[in-house]
Structure formats: structure tokens, C-alpha cells
Amino acid sequence: MTRIAEIRLDDAGQPAPTPEIEQERRVAVFDLLEENSFCLPGRDAGPYHLGLAIREKRLVFDVATAQGERAAEFHLSLGPFRQVVKDYFQICESYYDAVKTLPPSQIETIDMARRGIHNEGARVLQERLEGKAEVDTDTARRLFTLICVLHFGA
């Protein structure tokens, strides 16, 4: 039961996402709910409902049990994420442009770079969550995508 069963993104007051950002969001949420590993150290009360938001320039994780009881809330500085999020948006833009005009070999090269930046973002997230929540690499990657989606309008 160490998993996220429901996820809610609080993007109130942010500009509407582009179609590409909205697609990234849908895929990340679907993949995350299909398979993830998430637990709070010292607790065995999963599955969890996770709310993600950006408030006052901080990333907020609001974690509740499936019964609606608050399990944890923690705030992470966005500072450590800024450069990797910026790099990720730039490489994604290059990827979306490449898909329209470049041959598959060049698209593959850009996609490999995109995956590398995505992995870096997941690593930063895992470091920032240390002692607060434990996530595997795939879960961290999907959560990083959702952080990018939220960061888009912040």
C-alpha cells in the first residue's frame, strides 16, 4: 500500500497550459497512477492522496490517507529545481520542433538529451524528498513532470 492512489494538481490562478504541456500532464498523471512507489518514513498508512501546488515560490506536497486524514505536508524550495526545469522546457521545445521537421535520427538524439535532463530532475526531487518521502526513480520522474507542469504557470 505504499503508493499514490489519487493526485490533485492545484494550478488555480495560473495561465492555461499549452496543448503540449497539457498532454505531458495527462500522460504523467496516468502513468503515475498506473504504477508508483510512494511512502512516508515511519508510516504504513498508504495508499496516499497527493496534492501538489506551488505557493509562495515553494513546492507544496499535501499528503493524505485514502480515508482523508492528513498524513504530511511539506514545502520544498523551488531553487534547486529552477535550472533543471528551465533546461527541461528548452529541450522539450526543441523536441516538439524536431518532430515536425527533422529525420528520426536527430529526433532520437534530442529525445536522449530530454531523458537525461528528466532523470536529473528526478534525482534532484529524490534528494529534496529525503527524510520526508521515499519514491522510486520512475515515480520521481513522473512527479518531476508534474512539477514542470505546475512550474509552467508559476
Side-chain angles (χ1 to χ4, degrees):
M1 298 311 283
T2 57
R3 63 184 308 276
I4 298 167
E6 182 180 303
I7 189 148
R8 178 182 33 80
L9 299 180
D10 181 357
D11 58 0
Q14 295 181 356
T18 65
E20 293 87 3
I21 296 291
E22 186 57 34
Q23 177 63 15
E24 291 278 330
R25 174 184 180 154
R26 279 193 300 270
V27 170
V29 167
F30 178 83
D31 289 347
L32 184 67
L33 294 178
E34 283 293 304
E35 183 178 341
N36 69 76
S37 174
F38 182 95
C39 69
L40 300 174
R43 291 191 64 124
D44 59 346
Y48 296 102
H49 292 194
L50 175 64
L52 285 178
I54 294 180
R55 291 188 211 125
E56 300 175 9
K57 299 184 179 186
R58 299 185 70 75
L59 177 62
V60 178
F61 280 71
D62 185 5
V63 186
T65 65
Q67 295 76 32
E69 298 169 12
R70 175 158 291 197
E73 179 176 299
F74 37 91
H75 300 234
L76 305 177
S77 171
L78 286 173
F81 294 100
R82 281 203 174 88
Q83 188 61 51
V84 71
V85 168
K86 180 180 176 184
D87 292 345
Y88 185 67
F89 276 128
Q90 287 176 336
I91 198 75
C92 283
E93 188 174 316
S94 295
Y95 176 79
Y96 296 134
D97 290 342
V99 167
K100 298 173 191 171
T101 61
L102 296 178
S105 62
Q106 288 177 308
I107 294 169
E108 185 176 326
T109 300
I110 294 169
D111 192 44
M112 286 175 53
R114 183 175 74 142
R115 284 193 303 264
I117 293 169
H118 206 185
N119 288 339
E120 175 64 14
R123 185 193 62 74
V124 170
L125 179 59
Q126 284 176 306
E127 285 177 2
R128 302 298 299 152
L129 289 174
E130 194 169 321
K132 296 171 183 66
E134 296 170 7
V135 296
D136 66 7
T137 301
D138 288 337
T139 301
R141 285 174 53 84
R142 293 169 184 136
L143 287 171
F144 176 72
T145 300
L146 296 176
I147 291 166
C148 289
V149 168
L150 285 171
H151 206 276
F152 170 77

